[in-house]
Amino acid sequence: LLHPMKKNLPTGSFHLRSYSLIELAILYSPSVQTRRAVRQLKRWINHHPELPRHLRLLGYTNGQRVLTPKQVACIVDCLGEP
């Protein structure tokens, strides 16, 4: 299934703002199911050598559902734009 939330964002552009973890995961993995996209994004975050530590410094906690713009910027800096 493709993700219905993806249609809410302009094609080809990424806006730095607060995103739910689900929204951001869908942007990074638009062609997979939502749960799989979230698991994949978490896996990429946890396997990055610096990203988990940087996110914790920005206040990220396990189970957090909405990412702040600074946390999103940190993810994008490390993983690239979705």
Side-chain angles (χ1 to χ4, degrees):
L1 292 172
L2 292 178
H3 303 284
M5 283 190 240
K6 187 167 171 66
K7 68 182 177 188
N8 295 334
L9 296 172
T11 306
S13 62
F14 179 77
H15 300 285
L16 191 59
R17 61 172 177 82
S18 291
Y19 283 90
S20 71
L21 193 60
I22 291 172
E23 283 179 296
L24 193 59
I26 289 168
L27 290 175
Y28 275 103
S29 301
S31 62
V32 300
Q33 292 180 346
T34 302
R35 292 177 89 182
R36 187 170 183 191
V38 171
R39 282 194 309 263
Q40 181 63 48
L41 179 57
K42 286 180 178 181
R43 194 175 306 122
W44 289 338
I45 289 170
N46 290 327
H47 284 91
H48 190 279
E50 297 294 324
L51 187 50
R53 184 176 65 83
H54 290 305
L55 287 174
R56 281 192 303 276
L57 291 173
L58 292 172
Y60 178 81
T61 58
N62 287 336
Q64 183 174 331
R65 293 176 185 243
V66 178
L67 301 165
T68 67
K70 286 183 180 183
Q71 292 167 342
V72 172
C74 183
I75 291 169
V76 170
D77 285 345
C78 292
L79 301 181
E81 281 193 16

